[in-house]
């Protein structure tokens, strides 16, 4: 079944353009011209992704995202004319999964939507309890627990989110920005650099020698990756 995208944009012309590109990409599309309408449709039509413009006539997009988050964990992609770091952070704090700065190419938009929906599907398909590196690391995503060399480790929600994101595809490099996108409920004291401090804390808890990390590897100029193979 085609995934459903709810397009929330008050400019009719842009709304139509978005609709036609998303439909051509195979999505079922619903549209809303205001925040109130968007909130209604999110609860009644249960879309898979909400494409949310930040500038709406009635309710600011950030507030719409917050309202949606009270009732749903639907994917939210924000459209913004503002591009400052503070705006992006506010968007993530409001519960957005990703953002796109206007002007954007329709092709870029479709790629972004596909990526977010794939991510959600990958998370849903994953087993509840997974083992890595011959049992060195075990992640129980239902109980949100991690075990390292057989012992439970106490992780903050952010450390847990980072580890869990890296474990989605062991060996794959995740950029700092991508890790931020994946970690919901991230407390944004800053931006990408804050990921480094969370990784540092995470390593202190999971590595034998945090100065020579064997589990969470740094990829120069790239980001981080899980340096263990998935077992089984
Ligand atoms: Ca608008």
């Amino acid at each position: 079944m085609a995934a459903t995208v709810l397009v929330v944009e008050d400019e009719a012309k842009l709304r139509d353009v978005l609709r036609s590109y998303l439909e051509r990409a195979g999505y079922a599309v619903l549209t809303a011209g205001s925040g109130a309408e968007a909130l209604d449709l999110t609860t009644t039509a249960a879309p898979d992704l909400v494409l949310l413009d930040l500038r709406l006539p009635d309710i600011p997009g950030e507030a719409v995202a917050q309202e949606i988050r009270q009732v749903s964990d639907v994917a939210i992609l924000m459209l913004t004319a503002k591009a400052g770091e503070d705006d992006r952070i506010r968007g993530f704090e409001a519960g957005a999964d990703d953002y796109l700065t206007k002007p954007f190419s329709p092709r870029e938009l479709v790629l972004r939507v596909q990526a977010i929906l794939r991510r959600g599907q990958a998370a849903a398909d994953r087993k509840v309890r997974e083992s890595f590196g011959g049992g060195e690391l075990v992640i129980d995503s239902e109980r949100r627990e991690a075990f390292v060399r057989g012992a439970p480790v106490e992780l903050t929600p952010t450390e847990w989110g980072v580890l869990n994101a890296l474990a989605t595809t062991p060996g794959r490099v995740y950029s700092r920005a991508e890790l931020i996108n994946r970690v919901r409920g991230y407390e944004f004291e800053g931006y990408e650099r804050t990921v480094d401090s969370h990784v540092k804390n995470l390593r202190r808890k999971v590595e034998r020698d945090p100065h020579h990390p064997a589990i969470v590897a740094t990829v120069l100029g790239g980001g981080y990756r899980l340096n263990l193979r998935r077992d089984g």
Side-chain angles (χ1 to χ4, degrees), residues 9-11 53 55-56 102:
E9 168 62 77
D10 56 312
E11 290 163 59
D53 185 38
R55 294 226 174 135
L56 296 168
K102 291 178 179 177

